Amino acid sequence: MQTTTTTARRTAARAIALLGASALALAGCSLTDDLGQAPADPTNAATPTASAEPTATSLPDDDVPLVAVVSTTPLGSVVGQIAECGGGRAETIMGIGDDPHSFQPSSAQVAEMANAPLIVISGMDLEGSLISAVESAALDGANVLAIGPLVDPLTFDETGGSHDHDGDGTPDHDDETHEHDSGYDPHWWLDASRMATAAALIGDALAEETGGAAFAECGAQLSEELLTLDAEITEILAGVEHRELVTDHQAFGYFAARYDFEIVGAVIPSLNTDAEPSSADLAELVHIIEEHQVAAIFANVGATTALADAVAEEVGFDVQIVPLYTESLGPAGSGAETYQDMMRTNAHLIADALEG
């Protein structure tokens, strides 16, 4: 991990430098454009306190300094663990069940972003409606760390995703309203090894921004724990023989690439959960499920399963609808209260559905 951690430190320093207000003002581009090189390592970290797994939405303690504001709950869980380990706290803008594609922040949340030492987002067009507020905060001097572009992102072609954000069923490559689209699949956190890389980046970024060297060591420590989680997920899924997935929308490309699955179809052939498939799309999916003998359609917890139910009813054998935690953690008692819990639960649900 020494090489990985050193690279993470360098990349984090570069990312923050390029995502500051002056860089945005001069470049006039998306927060997620830079995949660049990196400068020297920051100061070595001190030994941190033991890590924990707080939820992303735990109530703040006003006596504990706010060190970061985070966009999504899976990312918020990881940032929160690093922050708590290093003696700070992080606030997550989105709540349990919020869809990052369509989430709108309140005025109070926008103000909180502007006051945080660091704003951490996934990037690559995931937080579509939040990005304007993040860009405004950056122009006011806030430092922004977009993690997605820094964890070896995959293109839409590599994950089998459609570059369709507006939900009209057609790719958006020539759509002027998406001129800053990254061209990358933004669902990187469903690969635990990439989240391990992210943890090291975040720890070093927090150390750089706050001057608290312990955050860097906390990030490195959590990175190691997430690599162990990655191996655990691989083991949970090792016994699955039928490794073809059908999902409710195109969100599991990174998961499939990391854990040796193939995405053969999606109810909504888009990265956007609000897109509407045509009747021909649904008929083709029924054919694919029957041809590949797929036992389950994996849906998104909290989202409607009406279309998935309709597809399952048309298939000539029983097909389960299995909800997974895709873009949000789960509430207390769900088994998906932290990022680690979410990934373990998803792995068990997939294994149980496909082994049955």
Side-chain angles (χ1 to χ4, degrees):
M1 275 297 294
Q2 182 63 40
T3 300
T4 300
T5 302
T6 299
T7 302
R9 286 175 176 166
R10 290 174 174 170
T11 309
R14 171 70 169 170
I16 290 177
L18 289 174
L19 291 171
S22 59
L24 282 173
L26 291 172
C29 63
S30 166
L31 294 176
T32 60
D33 284 346
D34 184 75
L35 298 174
Q37 306 302 311
D41 296 1
T43 305
N44 290 333
T47 302
T49 58
S51 65
E53 293 187 13
T55 63
T57 55
S58 56
L59 292 175
D61 181 348
D62 290 338
D63 294 331
V64 179
L66 177 67
V67 296
V69 170
V70 194
S71 58
T72 68
T73 58
L75 190 54
S77 174
V78 169
V79 177
Q81 291 171 55
I82 297 168
E84 182 175 305
C85 168
R89 63 180 173 89
E91 289 296 309
T92 304
I93 295 294
M94 297 181 198
I96 299 300
D98 283 338
D99 184 342
H101 300 285
S102 58
F103 177 82
Q104 296 279 358
S106 68
S107 56
Q109 289 171 326
V110 172
E112 187 172 42
M113 284 191 288
N115 293 326
L118 186 66
I119 301 172
V120 185
I121 64 171
S122 183
M124 301 193 301
D125 302 312
L126 177 75
E127 303 100 335
S129 299
L130 182 63
I131 289 302
S132 61
V134 173
E135 288 178 338
S136 294
L139 289 170
D140 287 337
N143 289 306
V144 180
L145 179 63
I147 290 292
L150 308 177
V151 293
D152 190 21
L154 301 176
T155 66
F156 298 112
D157 289 340
E158 289 174 308
T159 64
S162 164
H163 200 180
D164 173 23
H165 289 282
D166 56 17
D168 64 0
T170 60
D172 293 330
H173 296 291
D174 298 323
D175 188 338
E176 292 182 0
T177 63
H178 294 277
E179 61 181 342
H180 295 312
D181 277 4
S182 67
Y184 292 90
D185 185 335
H187 300 90
W188 57 270
W189 65 90
L190 293 173
D191 171 352
S193 71
R194 281 181 164 85
M195 187 60 94
T197 300
L201 288 168
I202 292 160
D204 289 315
L206 287 171
E208 181 75 13
E209 289 307 300
T210 66
F215 291 116
E217 185 61 29
C218 289
Q221 178 179 314
L222 184 56
S223 180
E224 293 284 0
E225 293 173 11
L226 292 175
L227 288 175
T228 300
L229 172 68
D230 179 57
E232 181 182 345
I233 292 167
T234 300
E235 181 63 27
I236 292 169
L237 298 168
V240 177
E241 294 184 5
H242 192 103
R243 305 187 78 86
E244 295 176 315
L245 301 178
V246 172
T247 59
D248 67 342
H249 74 295
Q250 294 171 330
F252 273 79
Y254 285 90
F255 182 94
R258 179 62 181 173
Y259 303 111
D260 193 26
F261 285 83
E262 179 185 0
I263 307 292
V264 296
V267 176
I268 301 173
S270 170
L271 297 173
N272 189 336
T273 53
D274 293 329
E276 296 183 4
S278 68
S279 57
D281 290 332
L282 297 178
E284 175 63 16
L285 183 59
V286 170
H287 173 73
I288 288 170
I289 291 172
E290 292 179 338
E291 180 183 9
H292 292 267
Q293 294 291 294
V294 178
I297 298 173
F298 295 101
N300 188 9
V301 170
T304 178
T305 62
L307 286 174
D309 291 335
V311 169
E313 288 175 4
E314 293 296 320
V315 176
F317 51 85
D318 288 339
V319 175
Q320 299 180 66
I321 307 298
V322 181
L324 301 176
Y325 296 92
T326 305
E327 292 166 334
S328 172
L329 302 182
S334 67
E337 296 91 341
T338 68
Y339 172 76
Q340 292 93 319
D341 291 338
M342 179 189 87
M343 293 296 290
R344 288 191 192 97
T345 293
N346 282 346
H348 281 296
L349 288 169
I350 290 170
D352 291 346
L354 297 182
E355 288 174 348

